[in-house]
Amino acid sequence: QRDLDTAAALLEGAGIDASVTDMQPDAAVFDPQAAGICHYPTGQQYVDAINQNLRDTPRPEDANTLLAKMQAALGKGVAPPIPDVPNTVEEEGYWEGGYYLASEWAEAFLLQYGAGLEVGYGQVSVPEDIYDYMRLHTYYRAVNDRPKLIERGGQSNLLAHMLGDLTASADADYGVSMYVGHDTNVDGLNVLLGLQWDASPYPENATPPGGMLRLTLSEGKVRAAFLYTTFESTDGNMTEVPARFGGVSDTMDLDEFVDSARQTVDWRCVPDGVAEGYRPGAAMR
């Protein structure tokens, strides 16, 4: 329902006279594993992938300071202090523990701020502390939500749809496709396309509420951008920053993009009829 509500708001904001009240989201586009199109990783594959990401992802240098500061703001409770909660990788595919709790609280602070509520029982300075704590949130998501093995299964169907849309638009005068999903989908595309963006004042590669990844095709080149807004303003204007392939450039030749996406997609997670001409063994267009 959140996807439908967001889609309706998006259309209204764009001045498009359309209704999504009778539409049903195509859940398989955003989660082909839950739809039964392909299998989830095994428990051991989840553990190995997340542990590898944990080794490869730099932790914020002031992480311990931020965790202690967050705990001080939240106060003493029945549960142990956040810095003392052990961090473990579970076979269900989650990195549990203190960093998970910190990530959830950081996101809660941001949403409280956006809703005009008191943030963190009045113990969180806005917006400075919020953006600092968001570095814990982004770090957690980089470890837990961006292992490539996991994201190939989860987001390949979405990427295949986008590949088909982009190449179809190359043969047409104009075309627009919009996919209304979640931050997990944007995280997955970040991994599969090897993108980086600086959404200041949010941390690098953040996926804040209302943010979007945009791919455009013009003159044989694909350009990537990340657009977002902050809660310091209610005018709805979005900041656009380049999303850089491989951290280098926000543009890529269409042929190179097609080749990269074609090799990255796990085609077992893509239903028949989607980007059909780009499956392994298919003749290239």
Side-chain angles (χ1 to χ4, degrees):
Q1 184 60 47
R2 284 189 296 162
D3 292 345
L4 290 174
D5 292 343
T6 303
L10 180 65
L11 292 172
E12 180 182 357
I16 298 174
D17 183 16
S19 172
V20 296
T21 55
D22 297 324
M23 295 177 62
Q24 294 297 320
D26 186 352
V29 173
F30 303 100
D31 195 344
Q33 294 162 324
I37 296 174
C38 57
H39 295 295
Y40 287 103
T42 66
Q44 191 59 51
Q45 286 175 323
Y46 272 126
V47 170
D48 291 345
I50 294 174
N51 273 324
Q52 185 62 53
N53 245 26
L54 183 56
R55 289 189 291 269
D56 293 343
T57 305
R59 190 180 69 152
E61 292 182 359
D62 57 347
N64 291 337
T65 301
L66 288 172
L67 290 172
K69 183 177 178 179
M70 175 181 283
Q71 183 61 58
L74 293 172
K76 185 177 180 180
V78 176
I82 290 175
D84 295 344
V85 179
N87 296 282
T88 59
V89 179
E90 304 296 330
E91 289 192 351
E92 292 79 10
Y94 295 101
W95 185 33
E96 302 279 9
Y99 278 103
Y100 167 73
L101 296 173
S103 171
E104 292 292 291
W105 273 111
E107 187 173 41
F109 293 158
L110 178 65
L111 296 177
Q112 289 171 353
Y113 178 47
L117 302 175
E118 182 180 62
V119 179
Y121 311 109
Q123 301 302 308
V124 174
S125 297
V126 294
E128 295 83 4
D129 283 354
I130 292 174
Y131 293 128
D132 272 345
Y133 291 139
M134 282 298 292
R135 290 190 285 118
L136 295 173
H137 178 67
T138 304
Y139 169 63
Y140 174 83
R141 295 192 65 84
V143 172
N144 188 82
D145 294 282
R146 293 183 180 176
K148 190 166 185 178
L149 178 142
I150 297 172
E151 295 307 326
R152 283 194 72 212
Q155 309 305 328
S156 279
N157 194 13
L158 176 57
L159 179 55
H161 276 76
M162 296 171 71
L163 173 62
D165 291 340
L166 275 173
T167 52
S169 69
D171 300 328
D173 292 334
Y174 184 75
V176 176
S177 297
M178 295 184 182
Y179 294 90
V180 183
H182 297 277
D183 49 4
T184 50
N185 303 116
V186 180
D187 279 326
L189 292 172
N190 169 292
V191 173
L192 298 186
L193 296 175
L195 294 170
Q196 295 180 23
W197 55 79
D198 182 4
S200 180
Y202 297 106
E204 187 169 296
N205 295 329
T207 54
M212 67 170 70
L213 175 64
R214 186 185 68 199
L215 300 179
T216 56
L217 175 64
S218 177
E219 298 180 349
K221 292 186 179 295
V222 177
R223 183 180 298 275
F226 187 76
L227 292 84
Y228 64 99
T229 187
T230 67
F231 293 125
E232 276 78 83
S233 171
T234 58
D235 60 17
N237 290 331
M238 304 188 79
T239 299
E240 177 180 335
V241 295
R244 305 177 306 280
F245 295 100
V248 178
S249 173
D250 63 341
T251 60
M252 179 182 288
D253 288 340
L254 176 60
D255 289 345
E256 183 181 357
F257 178 88
V258 168
D259 185 60
S260 176
R262 191 186 194 201
Q263 294 182 50
T264 298
V265 165
D266 184 343
W267 292 98
R268 296 171 298 180
C269 297
V270 181
D272 292 341
V274 178
E276 197 67 33
Y278 300 100
R279 293 175 180 271
M284 287 292 288
R285 296 179 56 181

